[in-house]
Amino acid sequence: MSTTTSESVAAPLGDDGDALDEIARHVLWLSTAIIHHANVIRPNPTGLKVGGHQASCASMVTIMTSLWFEQLSSGDRVSVKPHASPVLHAINYLLGSLDERYLTTLRGFGGLQSYPSRAKDPDPVDYSTGSVGIGATAPIWGAFARRYVDTALGGTGRGRQYSLVGDAELDEGAVWEAILDTSVSELGEIVWIVDLNRQSLDRVVPNIAPGRLSAMFSAAGWQVITVTFGKHLEALFERPGGPALRTRILDMPNAEYQRLLRCSPDEIRQRLPGDGPGASDVARVIADLDDAELVRAISNLGGHDLDALRAAYAQIDDTRPTVIIAYTIKGRGLPTQGHPQNHSSLLTVEQFDQLATDLGMDAASPWHRFDDETPSGQLCTATARRLHREPIDHVNPPTVPTDIGRKSPATSTTQAALGRTLLDLTRDAPEVAERVVTCSPDVSSTTNLAGWLNKVGVWSTGERRNWFDDDGETIMHWRERPSGQHMELGIAETNLVGLIGELGSTWSRWGQPLFPIGVLYDPFVERALEPWSYGIYAGGQSILVGTPAGVTLAAEGGAHQSIKTPSIGLEQPGCTSYEPAFAVEVEWTLLASMARLGRPDGRSAYLRLSTRPVQQSLADVPTDPAARERRRRQVVAGAYTLRSCAEPDVTIVGMGAMVTEALEAADRLADLDIAAEVVCVTSAGLLFEAMQARSGHGDAESWILDQVFPAHRAAPMVTVLDGHPHTLTFLSTINRVRTESLGVSTFGQVGSLPDVYRLHGIDTDSIVRAALDLTS
């Protein structure tokens, strides 16, 4: 149980001390009863495990009670560790912001969620958690988002960003990626509270070293406050021989301390002194304690002591991030206290009834609140009043243009078109451009954002001098200032998607919509996938751009050639994916994606772009305004016919970089008297949704299928993309035609583009052969 950080000095508890103690006991009871009802009382005809974490809740009760009822202001936001969600619901219930009928619905359909959810829980939840490490870091990105909105648009007010973290959660790499980002050390509103109960799901962790954790946080520029002991133990330490007792407890292994919590008073007297040089002093200190005092003292850790916690909060330095490491006991106050496998254990009916007796509660009627006239009731009323948040006045997002009308260069890449479109917005739609925030993990220049970055500057909490502003050979100008619209993080994709998720939540937090666009190398979308998906689940609306993509990035080899990302875009809920083939399609799909952001019914987007130069004349964009608009609508809806035939013998469906080969194959097939229609798919996901809706599975519009895949022109189909072939295979079921699906299903190789395409069978020859197989 060693630590190298000095303990906080306990301050005396105020006039509300007795009331706060009573509230803490009530929160412990309610959180335990919520889980008990879900598992024992509520009918369960399937017999499947419901679950819950009574012990994990119990370790957080004092911390959360002291935080909500004494420390928080209405402008503060808190991310609650996933397994403590019943504690949050219990507090919200006592504050009057959760109806009693929900207390019996934990993990039930339409009820309280398994873990805190902004989108699905019926009571106030600041951050969705549940994916270990992701919810913990969300307040960091929330601090970025609040500061950005306040600087650019105003009106967010003040407030700390708290994160309540389990100690085992610190094993997640995403946590340290966020903590170590250099920009984070400037955000003084961030406060983490670590529930240091030294237990994980399976065991008492033998080597959790608070000293090491403290040093790691300190090295990242954080203030570290350790809350080790409560007032009862601190009083014993002041007695003759007390220093030996302190040393003994600090030096003993975690598992040995945990075992003491399961011992009778006689066993504690025998085990606690140990056999070291201070054993006699320890024995002397505890000799005159009665059994109740001894049991109370041995479990009197700082995370369960209101005085010690209040003193820790008083030390917070708001000029830098703070972590409070609070020693706790998993299951504190429950019969399962300190048991090495209590993580998911549930109280028996007998244990629950005994707990009710011990706490002065009624097991048969567990949901009562405090009377308004009691000190505890008055404290609840005062806290609810203090934490009340006025309804948010939502600003409607500005209208995003549908078509800027830029004339593309003769040859261009879809990646380059991204930067040009953003610059065009600053000229043609400045009210839209001012709400665009781009983010990148140190790949701005290689993803064609340099021009945009030069125009809008880099966001920083303070102005920094650009020492290369007078260097004529420096093309990208790194001007850092609070008014900048580009945020640059270190090489950590998890941080990027966490940031754009919070930037994409500002419409719901402060009523100010932003258009966040995160750019990263497409192969690393998979690395960012889980936190990105979780951000969408939590209500963050953003645009993720993966570029460059596919084996088209031939010279980089298999390590940097993405294969699975097209199907990821197809499968990701709450997200529309696009893979445009031409520059104008980047403009259209990007603008359409922006128009879906920052609103209650909003939706995120994923654009997969390429560095392959393509002749833009191949797009054959109509010059007639009505025909051009029809093409744009089809592109945004998922597909269009690039080359039509009255009676096609075969349909070649290409996506993204492969459209060039699709057109070349059609030309060669024409020489063989085989009529090939060419369809360009821009969104496999939208086409799948349209197909499902046509079958009665969903409410998406299906008109695009009638226009691009009409039954009277149905023909055998070859699909080809720079990604896994199954992404487009479903298209053949629209009209039930024979199909050949070409794509990439093995790791790539370094080589020239023709060599790599030939290796994977997505070159022109392969398309022609597949078409001949279908038409012979």
Side-chain angles (χ1 to χ4, degrees), residues 100-125:
E100 179 180 326
R101 65 189 174 93
Y102 284 107
L103 300 182
T104 61
T105 67
L106 179 70
R107 301 189 174 208
F109 185 77
L112 299 176
Q113 298 301 295
S114 306
Y115 310 116
S117 171
R118 286 191 74 215
K120 297 184 178 183
D121 271 318
D123 53 334
V125 174

Side-chain angles (χ1 to χ4, degrees), residues 13-30:
L13 201 61
D15 295 337
D16 292 331
D18 291 341
L20 206 58
D21 273 326
E22 185 177 21
I23 289 173
R25 291 192 297 273
H26 209 92
V27 170
L28 173 64
W29 167 253
L30 286 173

